[in-house]
Structures are given as structure tokens and as C-alpha cells.
Amino acid sequence: MTTTSTTTPAPVLDTAYFRRWLAETDRLVRRDSARLTELDAVIGDGDHGANLVRGFGAVGAAVAEARPETPGELLTLAGSTLTNTVGGASGPLFGTALRRTGKVLGATAVPTGAELADALGAGLKSVQKLGGAEVGDATLVDALAPGIAALSDAAGAGRPLREALDEACRAARAGADGTAALQARKGRASYLGERSVGHQDAGANSVALLMEALRTAVDATEVPAGAEPGPVAESVAEAVAQPVAEAVAASDPGTEPARGTRTGRVGVVLVSHSAKVAASVAELSGALLGSVDPAPLAVAGGTPDGGIGTSADLILAAAREVDEGHGVAVLCDMGSAVLTLKSLLAESPSPLPADTRIVDAPFLEGAMAITLTAAIGGDLDSVLAAAEDARQYRKR
Ligand code: ADP
Ligand code: MG
């Protein structure tokens, strides 16, 4: 006890620390996966544990592969990976949080506790912008906001980092526990209305784990990169294979979720030279949504007579079909599809719905990112930013 202060060095928030944070999160998410899934099963759809195991497993693989050098680079990569691999609403939400935190840390090699709190605060803001949740809506925001505020207060008051992180853990845990008393107003749990009261939110519990990992990472030892390739590789493969299998199993049209039954979301249009490609990419993107209610989506594939090419008429019809007044994101496969769309946008006045934008991303990854972000209610800027994320997801 008496020697602690002299023998324990102050924590250093360097890249190795943030790698340990992500590895610790992966460990805790695996440890508590069943519990997270159980919480989500009561007021959601019972996939939250599996979603995060898949996502943080993929993060571990991506980090081992790319070996980012700064905390900012590392967190940006982790965020993009989560957005691209989780497959549920929590993917873009956690992904946006980490990506924004990484962007704000920028090239800083060793942020202070206060700088970390500021960057996490920016991450929280982008989550709220994307998902529209305020404190009190019984979502992951109810653990994230108090956790970050506690870290910010304690670090700002000059408290030692370990203590500040202890405070953050306690506040996030209390916030997660507190969601039981709240009625869910965002996410799937909100569909239950008052019946959601009495149950803790799954995502808030995950945030409590992330905060716990932020604390334990200070004194944890690093697992060598790539030490566990098996489960990671499997979880990435599952990210694609499992929801597709579910979609195939549920191909009975009677079980398909109703499209466009909720208003107020960004419309998505996929344009390909081939009708089959457009339809297949739409099918895969829809399948990866799992149980998230899809945003309006239409395809413009090939020419009206069934040939290979691009049709301005089909693009116009698709954009008008999905427009609900909140913008339309159009993703093209290549060449003339892009040119056709650009020429429609350049007409004065443009025949396209107001706020129609070109998405700059690879076709399949972009389609998955924008479909998911639009589905969870992200605005047009968020949908375009998610596509940007998809563009940065490297495969080697
Ligand atoms: P899904 O709801 O698509 O099945 P997950 O089960 O992985 O995705 O994640 C559910 C969690 O995501 C919820 O417990 C909640 O904390 C969080 N969440 C969902 N929608 C929102 C939102 N609009 N804003 C903030 N958090 C949300
Ligand atoms: Mg769920």
C-alpha cells in the first residue's frame, strides 16, 4: 500500500494502450456475450452479443493486419471495421463513435486523459447525430454520456488517470443500470413502448464494458497480434454468411419485413449496368440488415429492355420511388452509370428529387453501409459519411 505510488508508473495513453483497450473490449464482449444477447432478446431481437463478438473480432484482425501507428489511426480503423462488420444498428453507432474519436485525436501520439475525454465527447455527439438519441431514451447513450462526463470531470480536475477511469466505469455502469427505469424511445426496444420499462438496454451494457476495458487496459499486458486467428477469421466470415443464411431461410415473402412503412428516412438507390447485379447487391445488403427495418430502397439495373447499360429513366423512377423528403443517396457501380447520374444532377432544374446525392464508395461495401445507416435513421450526411467509411475499409 505504502509503496504503490512510487512503484506504479502513471499510465501512458499511447497506441499500445488503445490496442489493449480494443483487445480487452473483445475479451469482455466474448465473456458477456450471452448476457448481452439475453438483454437484447427481452426488448429487442437477441443478436447484440453476437453482433459485438463479430465486430470486435473483426477489429482485432484488422488491427493485426494494418498495424496502425497512432491512436487516431487505430481508432479510425476500428470504427470503420465495426461499421462494416457488425450487421446491426450497434455497428454504425459504435463505429461512428470510435471513428470520430480517432479523427479528433488526429496525429496526437499520446493524448492526455482530458484530450481523450474530449475526443470521446466528439464521438458521443456523432452517435447522437446519427441515431437521434438523447440521454433518457434508454439507449447506449445513457451509459456513454455519463461515462465520458465523469472522465472529463475527473481528468479536468487533475485527478490521476486510474481514478478518473474508475469514475468513468462507475458512471457508465450506473447509467446502464438506470436504463431499466426508462422507456425506450430509440432503436428496436422503442417498438415496445411502455413495455420496455423494467429492462436494461443491451447497448448501454456494452458501453459499460467498453469503459471497463478502458480502465483495465491501463494495467493489462498486451496479447501478441494475430495470436488468435481462428475465432477472428470465423467471426468475420459469419458476418456475411449468417445473415445471408437467415435471409435464404426466410425467403417466404410473408415473413419479409415491410418496406417503407416508416417515413422520414433517406432513400437508397443502387444503379448497376446489370439488373442482376443491382438486385443481388440489394438482396445481400438487405440480408445483412438482419432484423433492422429497412429504409426505402430501389434499384436501377441495366437498360429498360433488359440489356447491359444504364438508363436515366430507370434512375429517375427509382429515385422518385424512394424519396420521402429526407434526401436520396444514389450509389452507382461505374463509368456510364456515374455519368448518367451526374448529367441528371446537372440539369437545371434537375428532374431528380431535391437532395439527391452521389455516393462515392465501392458498390457492394457502399451499398451495405448506406443501407444500414439509412435503416437506422441516419440523415443524408451520415449516410454519405458511412459510405466514406466503406471506402476506407482495406482488404490487405
Ligand atoms: P439491432 O437493434 O439492429 O438488433 P444491436 O442489437 O446490435 O442492433 O444493438 C442494439 C442496441 O443499439 C440497443 O440496445 C441500443 O443501445 C442501441 N441503439 C439502437 N438504436 C439506437 C439509436 N437510434 N441511438 C442510440 N442507440 C441505439
Ligand atoms: Mg439486436
Side-chain angles (χ1 to χ4, degrees), residues 8 51 72 78 140-141 200 222 277-278 292 322 336 361 394:
T8 310
N51 283 346
L140 50 84
V141 167
Q200 284 187 30
E222 190 155 10
V277 169
V292 182
V322 300
S336 72
R394 306 299 302 266

Side-chain angles (χ1 to χ4, degrees), residues 79-132:
S80 301
T81 307
L82 287 178
T83 300
N84 285 306
T85 55
V86 164
S90 56
L93 292 165
F94 280 106
T96 297
L98 290 194
R99 187 164 183 269
R100 183 79 194 124
T101 302
K103 291 278 174 210
V104 171
L105 290 178
T108 309
V110 184
T112 62
E115 283 170 339
L116 173 60
D118 283 352
L120 287 169
L124 166 65
K125 273 199 190 132
S126 61
V127 166
Q128 292 189 275
K129 181 162 183 256
L130 176 59

Side-chain angles (χ1 to χ4, degrees), residues 40 44-48 51 188 291:
D40 189 37
D45 56 353
D47 61 357
H48 189 59
N51 283 346
R188 299 184 60 79
S291 49

Side-chain angles (χ1 to χ4, degrees), residues 161-182:
L161 194 55
R162 283 187 180 79
E163 277 180 39
L165 291 170
D166 281 339
E167 294 291 346
C169 279
R170 269 195 289 274
R173 185 66 260 161
D177 291 347
T179 56
L182 301 169

Side-chain angles (χ1 to χ4, degrees), residues 251-296:
S251 57
D252 168 9
T255 61
E256 228 186 45
R259 285 184 188 267
T261 48
R262 286 196 290 162
T263 54
R265 285 183 293 182
V266 171
V268 172
V269 175
L270 303 179
V271 185
S272 171
H273 283 61
S274 151
K276 278 187 185 163
V277 169
S280 306
V281 170
E283 186 193 358
L284 178 56
S285 304
L288 289 171
L289 287 180
S291 49
V292 182
D293 184 20

